[in-house]
Amino acid sequence: MYKSGKFPNVTLKWAQTIDGQLADDTHHSQWISGSNERRYTHQLRSYHQGILVGARTFLKDQCQLTVRDIEFKGAQPARIIIDPRDRITQALKENPNLIDALNAGPRRTYLLTDLLDTDDDASYICLSRSKVIHVKYRFNDFKQWLTGGLKEIAHVFELLEKRSLDNLMVEGGAATLSEFLKAGLDRKSV
């Protein structure tokens, strides 16, 4: 099924409050870490070809997921959004300006979803004339969906970026991080 596109090494990254929460009491998750920790996060991002968040986190924060605040001359990591319930496409129908947030920055955004049309599994299409790539992968079990979908993203990434997706950083939200841990995808040997 995959001509190339091996499963990337996965790094899970999160910030938490002193009481172990991923958001403060007002449910804000941005800026709960200090400036030194944020610079360290940007340093970590610089070692990865892709940064992944869940759809809910992207819709709430419209996160850039770029390397900033440090000296960096490499290629920006791709932004990858997992969206098993197709929330992004639904949000685009309600707010077409969201495409600007998806297009922001110097690199492509990859959406991993399985609720597109009933075409062949593991196909991808471009949204409009943007830098947003839908990667569709269909499977019943979430771990298999996530594993297969990430392999397919790695394959599509190689085709479009002309480089391999060796290292993937998962930055949130809480449900996405939990799913990666439950599926055991935070390990290098998948």
Side-chain angles (χ1 to χ4, degrees):
M1 181 175 207
Y2 307 110
K3 296 177 185 162
S4 60
K6 65 182 185 346
F7 196 85
N9 294 321
V10 175
T11 302
L12 301 182
K13 180 268 174 206
W14 65 90
Q16 64 187 42
T17 61
I18 198 162
D19 61 352
Q21 303 300 311
L22 297 183
D24 64 18
D25 291 338
T26 63
H27 303 287
H28 288 98
S29 59
Q30 286 187 318
W31 315 123
I32 63 172
S33 57
S35 59
N36 288 339
E37 289 80 12
R38 285 194 295 274
R39 272 193 300 282
Y40 179 67
T41 295
H42 290 281
Q43 188 68 46
L44 280 176
R45 285 178 180 176
S46 73
Y47 304 131
H48 295 79
Q49 293 81 38
I51 312 295
L52 182 144
V53 295
R56 188 174 1 171
T57 297
F58 174 75
L59 289 171
K60 185 175 181 226
D61 299 342
Q62 294 188 13
C63 25
Q64 296 178 49
L65 305 177
T66 56
V67 178
R68 320 182 284 285
D69 300 335
I70 64 166
E71 178 100 16
F72 179 69
K73 295 183 181 175
Q76 286 288 344
R79 178 172 42 198
I80 301 170
I81 303 169
I82 64 165
D83 190 12
R85 295 187 189 100
D86 205 28
R87 291 177 178 159
I88 301 291
T89 303
Q90 296 306 315
L92 279 169
K93 291 176 185 173
E94 296 167 16
N95 179 8
N97 294 329
L98 184 60
I99 196 72
D100 294 337
L102 288 169
N103 281 325
R107 54 29 189 144
R108 289 183 177 93
T109 298
Y110 295 86
L111 297 175
L112 175 59
T113 186
D114 70 348
L115 296 176
L116 293 173
D117 300 329
T118 57
D119 296 336
D120 296 334
D121 290 347
S123 64
Y124 58 94
I125 57 172
C126 290
L127 266 182
S128 310
R129 288 180 229 159
S130 68
K131 298 182 294 183
V132 180
I133 309 299
H134 252 132
V135 179
K136 181 176 61 168
Y137 189 84
R138 192 174 312 275
F139 217 97
N140 293 331
D141 175 75
F142 188 78
K143 178 181 177 180
Q144 290 177 323
W145 177 81
L146 194 52
T147 303
L150 290 180
K151 285 181 182 177
E152 184 60 22
I153 281 181
H155 173 68
V156 172
F157 184 88
E158 286 177 19
L159 291 174
L160 297 178
E161 309 283 335
K162 307 298 186 224
R163 59 184 173 138
S164 61
L165 179 60
D166 295 323
N167 299 298
L168 175 69
M169 187 165 150
V170 180
E171 286 200 27
T176 299
L177 289 162
S178 294
E179 289 299 335
F180 267 81
L181 286 169
K182 280 194 289 188
L185 298 180
D186 58 318
R187 297 177 183 89
K188 289 186 178 184
S189 57
V190 175

